[in-house]
């Protein structure tokens, strides 16, 4: 495809809908020019994407990727929107009760009616992971990790991406910090850098698995403090904020672009908006607080007789792992 320089002025929905697919695409991506090379825009146009999980993390990437010019999507999510999702997820009151992947597909078509957006309402499963990964050139992993079913789905996704050598981008939103991670399984041969084995999922508790695969070095002190207070409660739900979750859209779209262009991408790119917005003196205090809260958290774990399935010995091993002594 050669991008034309004469782009029609379009100011109304009717005028936009009258355009053919090529003219619409040229107009949609007109303001990318100068920063996105024509050759890359062509690759973006034809790349097949899988967005696995369309809630806080995966859902944050739907609009940016569509606006960047990606046109071929598979969106997979088993969940439906609830009111408590609206503090950070890209949905409105009218979307409550609707499947998250279906809402994402409608959003993409509202940006570009020529987009192909297939919906998989059963989400990622051990039965469909192989075929969904096969269809994709790049994967965005937004699968929830706070449930056993979600962890199982995430691990199946990474195992297939590794087996089929497909690049994958994922993210973690923790308090004001968003850590975007790239596992380029075209060159990386162990899921989660070998921190987790397939058999670990069956023998470890949910949160021990989470802390094995999470970017532990970037967890803010305020998140350690909150987890210490909350994880002992059986009804605990991890808090999430919009300023962290929505960052993934910006970071992921650029990382996906770099992967499509064949460039190297760092393993982890972390931005803590709470910390970067602090004045210098408070930032120094926050730095000390992070170490203090981390130490308290590590002390807390071994004391618990059981912590969401942790036996004392397992909790002690996790404390050592978090502290970097193993």
């Amino acid at each position: 495809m050669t991008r034309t320089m004469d782009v029609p002025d379009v100011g109304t929905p009717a005028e936009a809908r009258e355009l053919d697919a090529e003219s619409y695409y040229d107009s949609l991506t007109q303001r990318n020019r100068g920063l996105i090379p024509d050759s890359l825009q062509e690759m973006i146009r034809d790349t097949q994407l899988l967005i696995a999980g369309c809630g806080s993390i995966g859902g944050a990437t739907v609009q940016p990727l569509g606006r960047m010019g990606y046109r071929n999507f598979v969106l997979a999510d088993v969940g439906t929107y609830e009111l408590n999702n609206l503090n950070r997820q890209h949905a409105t009151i009218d979307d409550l009760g609707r499947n998250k992947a279906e809402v994402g597909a409608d959003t993409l078509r509202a940006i570009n009616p020529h987009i192909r957006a297939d919906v998989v309402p059963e989400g990622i499963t051990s039965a469909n992971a192989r075929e969904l990964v096969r269809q994709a050139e790049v994967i965005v992993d937004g699968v929830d990790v706070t449930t056993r079913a979600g962890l199982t789905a995430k691990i199946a996704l990474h195992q297939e991406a590794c087996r089929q050598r497909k690049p994958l981008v994922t993210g973690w939103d923790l308090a004001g910090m968003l850590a975007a991670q790239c596992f380029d399984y075209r060159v990386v041969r162990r899921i989660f850098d070998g921190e987790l084995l397939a058999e670990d999922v069956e023998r470890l508790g949910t949160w021990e698995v989470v802390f094995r695969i999470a970017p532990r070095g970037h967890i803010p002190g305020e998140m350690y403090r909150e987890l210490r207070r909350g994880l002992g409660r059986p009804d605990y739900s991890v808090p999430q904020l919009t300023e962290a979750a929505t960052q993934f859209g910006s970071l992921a779209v650029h990382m996906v672009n770099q992967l499509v262009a064949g460039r190297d991408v760092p393993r982890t790119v972390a931005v803590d908006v709470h910390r970067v917005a602090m004045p210098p003196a408070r930032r120094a205090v926050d730095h000390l607080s992070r170490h203090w809260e981390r130490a308290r958290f590590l002390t807390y774990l071994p004391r618990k007789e059981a912590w969401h399935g942790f036996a004392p010995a397992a909790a002690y091993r996790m404390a050592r792992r978090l502290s970097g002594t193993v």
Side-chain angles (χ1 to χ4, degrees):
M1 180 190 74
T2 301
R3 299 170 72 189
T4 60
M5 296 306 295
D6 296 326
V7 177
D9 293 327
V10 178
T12 68
E15 291 173 342
R17 290 190 175 99
E18 288 176 359
L19 296 176
D20 59 45
E22 300 299 333
S23 298
Y24 191 100
Y25 192 83
D26 281 345
S27 188
L28 174 68
T29 60
Q30 179 182 8
R31 299 295 287 272
N32 291 354
R33 293 176 184 170
L35 297 175
I36 302 295
D38 286 359
S39 58
L40 176 55
Q41 191 70 63
E42 291 182 22
M43 289 188 284
I44 287 171
R45 181 180 186 272
D46 297 329
T47 294
Q48 308 275 334
L49 298 178
L50 168 61
I51 300 182
C54 300
S56 298
I57 295 298
T61 70
V62 171
Q63 286 198 37
L65 289 168
R67 297 184 193 284
M68 177 56 65
Y70 289 93
R71 300 201 318 171
N72 300 290
F73 292 84
V74 175
L75 298 95
D77 200 307
V78 70
T80 57
Y81 280 111
E82 301 175 359
L83 182 56
N84 62 52
N85 298 147
L86 302 191
N87 78 317
R88 67 200 183 279
Q89 298 187 25
H90 291 258
T92 69
I93 190 171
D94 293 327
D95 296 317
L96 298 182
R98 296 185 64 201
N99 178 270
K100 295 180 180 181
E102 179 185 333
V103 172
D106 286 348
T107 299
L108 287 169
R109 297 185 192 106
I111 294 168
N112 180 357
H114 304 285
I115 275 177
R116 179 185 66 81
D118 297 334
V119 173
V120 183
E122 60 269 28
I124 301 296
T125 69
S126 57
N128 67 17
R130 177 172 297 187
E131 176 59 21
L132 293 179
V133 169
R134 185 194 65 78
Q135 296 176 36
E137 295 175 69
V138 181
I139 300 160
V140 175
D141 167 24
V143 177
D144 180 36
V145 297
T146 60
T147 67
R148 175 62 62 175
L151 273 174
T152 300
K154 182 182 284 285
I155 291 164
L157 179 70
H158 281 252
Q159 286 175 326
E160 274 305 317
C162 186
R163 190 181 70 82
Q164 299 187 36
R165 302 203 170 191
K166 301 291 181 71
L168 178 150
V169 174
T170 189
W172 301 81
D173 55 323
L174 300 162
M177 188 278 298
L178 188 286
Q181 292 189 303
C182 174
F183 292 92
D184 191 345
Y185 289 121
R186 294 173 296 190
V187 293
V188 175
R189 302 312 306 142
R190 298 185 303 168
I191 65 170
F192 302 111
D193 292 325
E195 289 287 334
L196 188 72
L197 303 176
E199 56 269 26
D200 291 337
V201 182
E202 299 300 323
R203 66 182 183 82
L204 300 177
T206 299
W207 286 102
E208 187 171 3
V209 174
V210 169
F211 277 105
R212 285 197 176 201
I213 64 178
R216 298 181 295 272
H218 298 286
I219 298 176
E222 59 191 310
M223 200 68 209
Y224 277 122
R225 181 171 61 250
E226 166 59 26
L227 291 172
R228 178 172 52 83
R229 291 171 177 172
L231 283 177
R233 304 198 309 264
D235 61 342
Y236 182 64
S237 179
V238 178
Q240 295 172 282
L241 298 175
T242 187
E243 60 262 42
T246 55
Q247 284 186 85
F248 188 55
S250 298
L251 290 171
V253 72
H254 181 67
M255 294 169 81
V256 170
N257 285 352
Q258 298 308 296
L259 290 169
V260 170
R263 302 190 184 108
D264 292 335
V265 177
R267 164 67 80 250
T268 303
V269 179
V271 179
D272 187 337
V273 294
H274 290 183
R275 190 167 190 274
V276 299
M278 293 176 183
R282 187 179 168 195
R283 193 177 301 167
V285 172
D286 178 75
H287 179 73
L288 295 174
S289 175
R290 174 180 296 201
H291 290 286
W292 168 246
E293 292 295 346
R294 179 184 177 119
R296 293 186 71 187
F297 186 75
L298 299 181
T299 303
Y300 162 82
L301 282 181
R303 285 206 317 264
K304 302 298 289 181
E305 182 175 323
W307 182 59
H308 282 258
F310 278 33
Y316 177 70
R317 287 195 302 271
M318 177 54 59
R320 293 184 65 210
R321 184 177 291 275
L322 281 166
S323 66
T325 57
V326 294

